[in-house]
Amino acid sequence: MGGAHEVAAGGRTPTARGTPARRFGAWLAAPVDGAGLAGVRILVGLVGLWQTLRFVASGWVATQWLEPSFHFTWAGFDWVRPLPGAGMYALLAAQGLAAAALALGWRTRAAAAVFALAFTYGDLVDKALYLNHHYLLSLLALLFVFLPAGAALSLDARRRGERLVPRGAYLLLRAQVACVYAFAGLAKLDADWLLAAEPLRTWLQAHHDLPLIGPLLDTPATAHVMAWAGTLHDLFIVPLLLWSRTRRLAVVAVVAFHLTIWALFPVGVFSLVMLAAVTICLPPGWPRRWLRGRTAPPAPAAPGRLGRLGRLAVALGAAWVLIQVALPLRHLAYPGAVNWTEEGFRFAWRVMLVEKRGQVEFEVRTAAPPGRFTVLGGDDLTPLQRAMMATQPDMIHDYAHHLADRWRARGYAGVSVRADAWVTLNGHPARRLVDPAADLAAAPRDLAPKAWILR
Amino acid sequence: MSRSAALAAVALLALAPGCAITPIEDARQELLLSWGAWLLDRYDATAAAADALETQVEALCAAPDAAGLAAARDAWDAARRPWKEAEVFAFGPYSEEPIRLGPKVDFWPARPDSVRAVLADTAPIDASQLGAPAKGFAAIELVLWDPDGAPLAALAAEPRRCAYLAAVVPDLAARVRELRAVWDPAGQDFLGELTAAGERDTQYASLQLAFGEVVNRVGYLLENIRAEKLGKPLGVTAGSAQPERVESPFSGRGLGDIRDNLVGARRLLLGDGAGDLGLDGYLRGRGRHLAPLLTARFDAALAALDALDAPLTAAIEADPASVEALFDRVGELQRAVQVDVLGALSVTVGFNDADGD
């Protein structure tokens, strides 16, 4: 870490004495300017507020939450359902107010907690709504509950006075952001992405009507250049931002990268979330430059030292990072290509890697009275739910269970459900995704590898 | 300002100061215009055939005989063909309020009781006051084929039947012309909602979304054939067979309707066999060669349809296996469109229109 606004505690190097663990603890506890942390908090709060407003304005409360009669719930969170009456609107109101409070730094930890709970609740209603940047927003909000994000440039700080923050707070957030980019980059080390430039090539072709650059975007060479550049960007942008010698170039690169994505692809607030989060890699005092000296960091404090609470915080932070590393790697525990099976695909930052189209039909067989029923796609699903289900085995599985329940409720016994699912991935010829002979209604809903997925 | 416009603006500022800008000819826009012209032609053909039907019905009612009845039935069939070919475009003014003209022309499943109620009444018949189930193709079909007995005798014995036809046949032509005018660029220009997407404020945010709407509609049509026109009558989706739910049940044209649907879908995807290459031309330009797959799937579906030599209702009872084979072949075609074609085009349903990964 470096930068002009980082406060070297007490003018001494706090890492000079003691065991390596103590020295590392002291290094983590060293007080630094909290402005950079506040900058991320303010930007994330504003993005959260914007996302809340556009969710309401776009009518998604009704179309995504209230109107569907069936929701693809998450295992362990089946109890998360759309709140009755105006409940979801009230939830969004609380979420929006919390986002604004987070940006202002008013009751910062409480605001972060309310935002994290409300936003995560909304996302947990239906798997079809899963978005990587929504997941990141939830994680950042949760981190703000525990990190001193309101220590500077906040209403809380105005009331209590600005405080320095432990260096470890920056380290944890940087580790989080680094996980996002690093795993996004590692996931792109893939034949489809690097050799065929898919799905980028297909997506770019949709823009060939743009003046001047349209024909350029339509060429395979452009897709390949952008695919490789995107991989290098994701793999190296965090170290390049952290290193003072490459920082200026890296800032230009990251802004250009995310603005290009925003302009070309329908990724919602993804670019805004990432541009907000990545500022944590800048020197801690960067927001004060924008404030042109109107604020200054507090005077250097005494050297940091890890107390019992600090050691607990370090342990929790380390556990957090461990989980953030383990989740994207969990697909290694499953056989087959993760982009195809999607076992371990979510919560793993595998962004912009797949262009999938699918079609799934179900056959419900009943023993008593004997019967055979074809269910085309899902008559009680929204277009989004149908499209998502058609390519994601766990959602096909969920819907098979739902169909079995439906038929049992109609008085049938001995209900079995089979799926005929065909998917094309990144322009490859369509093939079956699911064993058509497997009774999905009898298959348990757990995290074990699914033998009925055709790999 | 849209994202594309923003990007284009940046590109223009950066790359082309002082250069004259020539709009790019977009193959999707050209294709939408070509499909639009074909749609208007189909509606023209329907309206013209409906006019001919009016003439035949007048002659039939003036002198009811077998030849007149056959001519009227042929005229009804001639109007039906282009209408069913254009069914891919059963969206926008066809199905959405406040216009929603589709059911006024082609209400289905038919409700014979609605027609019989009008025939049993004594009040003057004003087609504009009739509900959708009591007019349009199905109502005319019921009178011309009369499942309850001999239509010729009924026409001769019940003058109200001719009065009814005299009201609903011109109304059919008028409603089709009304629908055409809504689509017509020289009229209300709903076609412009598609072709000018991204250039001006239309209900589609971009040309890609407008393009995707039509291609998606081909998939919906094929699914509708399976789910509603075959699946429910056959009983594979409903549990028990419901042969009475077939389309055009009185004339026995259910299979013909499906054939016309397939012919229309094929025309859009594979062109007219002459200069217009349809969607395949666009796909080839993008390096995707799906014509062999699509051709094989269309041929298989049409062959399965040709293998049925009885009206659909009878075939469901006498030869359900062959009808099921047709159901499966259309399913394979549907898969080719909804998986392979839409995958190649990246025409996907997002979280909304703007929220991807």
Side-chain angles (χ1 to χ4, degrees):
Chain A
M1 219 164 19
H5 293 271
E6 186 169 346
V7 179
R12 291 183 296 164
T13 306
T15 56
R17 291 174 296 165
T19 64
R22 273 182 191 277
R23 287 204 300 272
F24 181 60
W27 184 81
L28 287 176
V32 296
D33 187 358
L37 196 58
V40 183
R41 185 205 79 228
I42 292 167
L43 294 174
V44 165
L46 291 175
V47 174
L49 180 60
W50 171 246
Q51 178 65 353
T52 307
L53 293 175
R54 69 191 282 266
F55 205 94
V56 176
S58 302
W60 295 334
V61 177
T63 59
Q64 309 298 338
W65 283 336
L66 303 179
E67 288 172 3
S69 59
F70 172 76
H71 285 290
F72 291 91
T73 56
W74 295 84
F77 293 92
D78 299 299
W79 52 273
V80 178
R81 302 281 172 169
L83 300 171
M88 295 310 283
Y89 287 99
L91 186 82
L92 278 180
Q95 177 182 306
L97 289 172
L102 186 64
L104 292 168
W106 184 75
R107 311 283 182 200
T108 307
R109 291 181 196 274
V114 171
F115 181 79
L117 280 173
F119 194 78
T120 307
Y121 189 95
D123 269 9
L124 285 176
V125 166
D126 200 313
K127 272 183 205 169
L129 305 179
Y130 174 81
L131 290 168
N132 282 300
H133 59 273
H134 279 203
Y135 170 49
L136 180 59
L137 265 181
S138 288
L139 292 179
L140 293 174
L142 187 57
L143 284 173
F144 288 145
V145 176
F146 301 101
L147 297 178
L153 308 181
S154 67
L155 293 177
D156 288 346
R158 178 176 279 192
R159 199 171 63 244
R160 299 177 192 153
E162 286 214 353
R163 290 173 294 122
L164 298 174
V165 302
R167 180 186 268 147
Y170 279 89
L171 189 68
L172 182 57
L173 264 182
R174 286 174 179 179
Q176 179 61 66
V177 172
C179 278
V180 176
Y181 280 110
F183 283 111
L186 288 171
K188 289 183 174 68
L189 302 178
D190 170 84
D192 276 356
W193 182 265
L194 294 177
L195 302 182
E198 288 290 2
L200 203 50
R201 190 178 163 198
T202 300
W203 293 342
L204 288 174
Q205 285 177 341
H207 295 284
H208 71 268
D209 57 323
L210 283 176
L212 289 178
I213 60 171
L216 190 67
L217 294 176
D218 204 7
T219 64
T222 301
H224 277 88
V225 168
M226 289 180 71
W228 282 76
T231 308
L232 294 172
H233 171 275
D234 287 356
L235 286 173
F236 298 111
I237 194 64
V238 169
L240 291 176
L241 281 167
L242 289 172
W243 192 22
S244 60
R245 289 189 181 185
T246 52
R247 186 171 299 130
R248 281 176 189 276
L249 184 66
V251 167
V252 172
V254 77
V255 170
F257 178 82
H258 285 296
L259 286 184
T260 303
I261 287 179
W262 172 79
L264 287 177
F265 307 121
V267 291
V269 294
F270 166 75
S271 295
L272 296 179
V273 175
M274 294 313 300
L275 285 173
V278 83
T279 59
I280 197 64
C281 298
L282 300 177
W286 74 267
R288 298 194 194 277
R289 287 191 192 177
W290 289 70
L291 296 171
R292 297 179 187 279
R294 279 194 290 266
T295 68
R305 209 166 47 123
L306 276 184
R308 188 177 296 171
L309 207 59
R311 286 196 292 276
L312 178 65
V314 170
L316 289 175
W320 178 282
V321 174
L322 205 63
I323 291 169
Q324 288 302 313
V325 171
L327 278 176
L329 292 175
R330 75 190 190 282
H331 71 88
L332 297 173
Y334 294 96
V338 59
N339 287 352
W340 175 257
T341 67
E342 303 216 11
E343 290 182 297
F345 190 90
R346 300 189 192 97
F347 314 112
W349 316 117
R350 304 185 68 83
V351 293
M352 303 192 73
L353 281 174
V354 295
E355 169 64 31
K356 272 181 165 177
R357 285 292 306 197
Q359 186 201 3
V360 60
E361 295 176 10
F362 298 89
E363 185 181 86
V364 180
R365 294 182 194 172
T366 58
R372 192 165 64 93
F373 309 85
T374 300
V375 179
L376 303 180
D379 52 6
D380 53 353
L381 300 179
T382 65
L384 173 73
Q385 288 176 315
R386 286 186 64 168
M388 294 291 115
M389 177 184 71
T391 61
Q392 299 184 40
D394 66 335
M395 293 175 73
I396 292 173
H397 189 198
D398 291 346
Y399 196 71
H401 277 250
H402 167 64
L403 289 176
D405 291 342
R406 216 159 86 179
W407 257 261
R408 286 187 198 109
R410 291 175 184 172
Y412 289 93
V415 180
S416 61
V417 181
R418 287 157 183 80
D420 188 18
W422 291 76
V423 169
T424 173
L425 167 65
N426 293 343
H428 295 293
R431 63 187 179 98
R432 271 208 166 94
L433 178 64
V434 169
D435 179 359
D439 175 12
L440 300 183
R445 198 170 171 238
D446 56 25
L447 295 176
K450 304 291 181 290
W452 45 265
I453 298 177
L454 299 177
R455 296 168 201 281
Chain B
M1 184 186 280
S2 73
R3 294 166 188 208
S4 299
L7 192 72
V10 170
L12 291 177
L13 287 171
L15 301 174
C19 290
I21 306 303
T22 307
I24 290 183
E25 290 182 5
D26 193 294
R28 294 166 301 184
Q29 194 174 42
E30 289 173 8
L31 201 46
L32 285 168
L33 285 167
S34 131
W35 287 343
W38 175 79
L39 173 68
L40 296 182
D41 174 73
R42 295 295 78 196
Y43 285 162
D44 280 339
T46 306
D51 289 342
L53 172 61
E54 186 180 350
T55 305
Q56 296 299 338
V57 163
E58 284 171 1
L60 173 66
C61 286
D65 60 15
L69 181 63
R73 286 175 171 179
D74 287 347
W76 180 89
D77 186 82
R80 187 80 173 154
R81 181 173 300 120
W83 173 256
K84 298 310 286 184
E85 286 178 1
E87 197 165 299
V88 167
F89 290 88
F91 62 95
Y94 186 108
S95 60
E96 290 168 20
E97 297 288 3
I99 300 174
R100 198 172 155 76
L101 283 161
K104 294 174 185 167
V105 175
D106 192 8
F107 190 89
W108 176 68
R111 286 191 203 160
D113 289 346
S114 299
V115 178
R116 290 183 188 118
V118 179
L119 292 175
D121 202 355
T122 54
I125 300 170
D126 178 356
S128 67
Q129 299 301 311
L130 294 176
K135 59 183 181 181
F137 276 111
I140 299 166
E141 180 195 12
L142 186 140
V143 176
L144 292 181
W145 273 270
D146 193 2
D148 295 332
L152 265 181
L155 280 169
E158 300 173 38
R160 189 170 171 82
R161 289 192 171 230
C162 280
Y164 182 59
L165 288 175
V168 295
V169 172
D171 183 73
L172 173 70
R175 297 289 79 78
V176 173
R177 288 201 168 92
E178 191 181 341
L179 184 57
R180 186 204 188 282
V182 178
W183 278 92
D184 190 352
Q188 294 180 50
D189 194 21
F190 185 78
L191 187 59
E193 293 287 312
L194 298 165
T195 58
E199 290 177 4
R200 59 179 166 86
D201 188 22
T202 75
Q203 70 181 68
Y204 301 97
S206 70
L207 195 58
Q208 181 74 357
L209 286 173
F211 186 58
E213 172 77 295
V214 180
V215 182
N216 267 310
R217 290 285 167 181
V218 177
Y220 294 156
L221 172 67
L222 296 171
E223 182 171 316
N224 191 43
I225 290 173
R226 299 182 68 219
E228 302 295 331
K229 304 186 182 192
L230 291 171
K232 284 184 178 169
L234 194 55
V236 295
T237 54
S240 58
Q242 303 172 38
E244 72 282 359
R245 284 189 65 105
V246 300
E247 229 181 348
S248 302
F250 316 119
S251 62
R253 197 186 190 279
L255 288 173
D257 288 345
I258 294 172
R259 167 179 284 283
D260 293 335
N261 289 163
L262 294 176
V263 166
R266 184 175 187 139
R267 163 66 183 77
L268 295 182
L269 298 186
L270 293 170
D272 58 5
D276 190 329
L277 299 174
L279 181 68
D280 179 50
Y282 176 79
L283 286 169
R284 278 195 236 172
R286 312 262 75 76
R288 310 288 175 138
H289 298 277
L290 293 173
L293 173 71
L294 291 171
T295 303
R297 295 286 167 83
F298 270 114
D299 287 349
L302 289 167
L305 196 145
D306 288 340
L308 295 163
D309 54 5
L312 186 52
T313 311
I316 286 168
E317 287 169 0
D319 187 11
S322 294
V323 181
E324 204 159 334
L326 172 61
F327 179 85
D328 291 340
R329 297 296 86 74
V330 178
E332 288 161 3
L333 173 60
Q334 182 194 342
R335 188 193 313 144
V337 172
Q338 291 191 326
V339 180
D340 297 277
V341 172
L342 291 176
L345 292 173
S346 182
V347 180
T348 54
V349 182
F351 174 53
N352 41 75
D353 28 341
D355 256 84
D357 228 320

